Amino acid sequence: MTAHDRLVGVVGTGTMGQGIAQVALAAGHPVRLYDAVPGRAREAADAIAARLGRLVEKGRMSAEERAVAVARLDPAQTLHELAPAVLVVEAVLEQLDVKQELLRDLEDIVTDDCLLATNTSSLSVTAIGGALRLPGRFVGLHFFNPAPLMPLVEVVSGYATDVTAATRAYETARAWGKTPVACADTPGFLVNRIARPFYAEAFAVHEEQGADPATIDAVLRESGGFKMGAFELTDLIGQDVNEAVTRSVWEGFFQDAKFRPSLAQRRLVEAGRLGRKSGQGWYAYEEGEERPEPHTAAPAEPPARVTVEGDLENAAELVAMMREAGIEVVQEDEDKGTRIVLPSGGQLVQADGQTSIEFRDVVYFDLAHDYRAATRIALATGQDGNPRTLKESVGLFQALGKKVSVIGDVPGMIVARTVARIIDLAHDALVRGVATEEDIDTAMRLGVNYPLGPFEWHRRLGRNWACGLLEELHDRDRSGRCAPSLALLRHSYDPKKWEGSA
Ligand SMILES: NC(=O)c1ccc[n+]([C@@H]2O[C@H](COP(=O)([O-])OP(=O)(O)OC[C@H]3O[C@@H](n4cnc5c(N)ncnc54)[C@H](O)[C@@H]3O)[C@@H](O)[C@H]2O)c1
């Protein structure tokens, strides 16, 4: 085999092109770079060589390995120099006509069995491939930024993509040390589609005056088990970049309410408050600015004794935790639902999509990824709620070692509605053939760092949990934004699916 048998071409040598080239190099391929701007491929090669140098300094690569890799890296002056490539990945401007023109030109240069791939994150692979003479060998290879560090690659098949081409792309990603997932060509592919509610629900709670960004972020992190909250994460990504993805998925689904963008985020983008890069987004990043503190309730007395009605379902661990904290728990197993009755006569109920306005003396507590590990819990109460019930609820969770954030009376609270909607979109994607259950779980864990995949969450939370919560939310907002999909309904109520599961 000659070196050319394995030559990988990378076109467009910006952020992603450089990252992808580095990954291919590290996997032992000779890599040839091309960029439309003269000199940029050479600059990219230098930047990659410098980055590999830093890996040597950190002891993650030997100086010899770096020298060999750099010798295999080769900036091209013209697109024609990519003729011997067995694979070309394009990472040029995210514009349909630009990508189509480039790929048409490439097709005249490379051999007919060269695999052509696009790193597009929001355009349709089918649409780009429509310009090709042989669209069967064209596939989406969607790397995440930064490509050398992010393990996930979405392998996207357009309508015309051959199975052999998709398999070759999948195997290549695997040989490059990545975790590939196979997915169909729909707006947002897999991760960007299913992750939308993570941002949308946080922004919606804020817009509904439920809580401020710092409190929502703290609850998502410390209770939801997410690495970062939606506000701090979008400030890092860039509000313009994150909103553009949301809008493109929303447009891609013909403005389906389930993907509706946020008005508050739109205002940030219009004002140029793009996040860290502009010095201000949801938060301010100028010198001396301090991040606002999340709402944290003052210490309160815990109740000495509570009555638990029902088994508390996915919050059952709270019973043992209350006993360990010295709270006397009287358990009533009659089929009265799942609630903690406090000495005030009021009740603590897990967020279920209803509100305290409807049930006066109820305080809702949010879903936690793990009630034992959570360091914070959100409580919601209506303005007419009994102050004694709220105090006892705060004291109870403080006695369990949690910080407590009291938020407004928003149905589904913060973590619960976010997780329920992610579970719903995952089911919808599954039945529409976008990807397998396993690949969806893998993609959400690796692509956006979720503590669990949506299907793992669904099984852990219980058969009707997400669907029941979304039905309640849908009852209170008929726009369709939170309507459970038919797929989730089927999956939640079909006993066969639940045989053998907890
Ligand atoms: N940045 C990300 O986080 C990210 C993540 C995943 C996918 N993507 C996708 O990767 C692609 C590239 O994004 P990026 O962030 O690296 O962009 P970038 O602006 O950093 O780089 C694009 C490069 O392409 C070059 N270019 C433009 N038109 C060209 C043409 N016709 N022929 C050759 N070179 C051309 C530009 O000169 C530039 O160097 C886009 O399709 C984008 O959607 C980006």
Side-chain angles (χ1 to χ4, degrees), residues 69-122:
V70 170
R72 283 198 308 261
L73 183 58
D74 172 21
Q77 307 276 347
T78 68
L79 202 57
H80 280 90
E81 292 169 54
L82 267 52
V86 290
L87 162 66
V88 179
V89 186
E90 74 77 13
V92 304
L93 201 65
E94 185 76 340
Q95 216 174 289
L96 181 62
D97 55 344
V98 172
K99 290 193 189 283
Q100 284 184 329
E101 194 183 325
L102 165 77
L103 284 155
R104 255 194 311 258
D105 290 347
L106 261 175
E107 242 192 345
D108 292 338
I109 293 168
V110 297
T111 59
D112 280 359
D113 56 4
C114 172
L115 186 64
L116 295 178
T118 175
N119 187 49
T120 183
S121 46
S122 62

Side-chain angles (χ1 to χ4, degrees), residues 94-280:
E94 185 76 340
Q95 216 174 289
L96 181 62
D97 55 344
V98 172
K99 290 193 189 283
Q100 284 184 329
E101 194 183 325
L102 165 77
L103 284 155
R104 255 194 311 258
D105 290 347
L106 261 175
E107 242 192 345
D108 292 338
I109 293 168
V110 297
T111 59
D112 280 359
D113 56 4
C114 172
L115 186 64
L116 295 178
T118 175
N119 187 49
T120 183
S121 46
S122 62
L123 298 171
S124 152
V125 172
T126 309
I128 302 171
L132 295 181
R133 178 172 53 85
L134 298 174
R137 45 91 164 254
F138 178 61
V139 68
L141 259 183
H142 184 215
F143 287 82
F144 291 73
N145 189 20
L149 296 182
M150 294 293 285
L152 186 72
V153 175
E154 292 177 335
V155 180
V156 186
S157 287
Y159 287 6
T161 306
D162 289 339
V163 175
T164 46
T167 307
R168 257 175 87 192
Y170 188 95
E171 292 305 334
T172 301
R174 192 148 46 196
W176 290 3
K178 298 294 176 191
T179 304
V181 291
C183 69
D185 181 27
T186 60
F189 307 138
L190 213 163
V191 170
N192 280 341
R193 169 182 180 149
I194 296 172
R196 294 322 332 136
F198 177 72
Y199 312 104
E201 292 311 312
F203 300 161
V205 171
H206 178 46
E207 286 176 56
E208 291 163 25
Q209 305 294 306
D212 56 87
T215 302
I216 298 171
D217 276 354
V219 170
L220 285 169
R221 271 193 324 267
E222 298 171 39
S223 199
F226 293 96
K227 288 267 182 336
M228 291 179 88
F231 296 89
E232 55 194 349
L233 179 57
T234 52
D235 266 359
L236 185 68
I237 296 169
Q239 298 304 333
D240 51 342
V241 174
N242 180 262
E243 205 229 11
V245 176
T246 300
R247 288 173 75 87
S248 103
V249 174
W250 176 63
E251 298 285 0
F253 283 114
F254 307 109
Q255 306 191 347
D256 185 333
K258 286 198 174 190
F259 298 99
R260 193 168 66 205
S262 146
L263 183 61
Q265 190 181 32
R266 178 94 285 264
R267 291 287 175 269
L268 285 190
V269 175
E270 287 169 344
R273 290 173 53 159
L274 305 181
R276 283 177 183 270
K277 63 185 173 188
S278 74
Q280 199 174 25

Side-chain angles (χ1 to χ4, degrees), residues 477-499:
D477 170 5
R478 290 299 178 125
S479 68
R481 215 175 73 79
C482 298
S485 63
L486 183 59
L488 183 65
L489 272 163
R490 279 200 197 117
H491 210 109
S492 301
Y493 293 105
D494 178 1
K496 282 201 278 321
K497 295 249 186 239
W498 290 84
E499 274 167 18

Side-chain angles (χ1 to χ4, degrees), residues 199-369:
Y199 312 104
E201 292 311 312
F203 300 161
V205 171
H206 178 46
E207 286 176 56
E208 291 163 25
Q209 305 294 306
D212 56 87
T215 302
I216 298 171
D217 276 354
V219 170
L220 285 169
R221 271 193 324 267
E222 298 171 39
S223 199
F226 293 96
K227 288 267 182 336
M228 291 179 88
F231 296 89
E232 55 194 349
L233 179 57
T234 52
D235 266 359
L236 185 68
I237 296 169
Q239 298 304 333
D240 51 342
V241 174
N242 180 262
E243 205 229 11
V245 176
T246 300
R247 288 173 75 87
S248 103
V249 174
W250 176 63
E251 298 285 0
F253 283 114
F254 307 109
Q255 306 191 347
D256 185 333
K258 286 198 174 190
F259 298 99
R260 193 168 66 205
S262 146
L263 183 61
Q265 190 181 32
R266 178 94 285 264
R267 291 287 175 269
L268 285 190
V269 175
E270 287 169 344
R273 290 173 53 159
L274 305 181
R276 283 177 183 270
K277 63 185 173 188
S278 74
Q280 199 174 25
W282 295 109
Y283 301 111
Y285 297 92
E286 276 104 25
E287 273 296 306
E289 283 288 350
E290 289 200 7
R291 178 76 65 88
E293 289 293 324
H295 174 271
T296 302
E301 271 300 301
R305 182 178 194 266
V306 299
T307 302
V308 171
E309 295 179 351
D311 65 358
L312 293 189
E313 297 177 341
N314 64 60
E317 187 66 11
L318 289 176
V319 174
M321 291 166 64
M322 286 189 287
R323 288 197 168 122
E324 288 161 29
I327 298 172
E328 186 189 340
V329 179
V330 179
Q331 188 110 38
E332 284 188 5
D333 287 330
E334 302 104 79
D335 190 19
K336 280 195 193 163
T338 54
R339 57 191 142 232
I340 300 169
V341 183
L342 299 162
S344 70
Q347 300 174 0
L348 249 175
V349 177
Q350 193 189 40
D352 60 3
Q354 304 188 64
T355 65
S356 323
I357 293 173
E358 301 152 82
F359 302 94
R360 288 250 155 149
D361 205 4
V362 166
V363 169
Y364 288 97
F365 63 96
D366 206 351
L367 176 70
H369 172 58

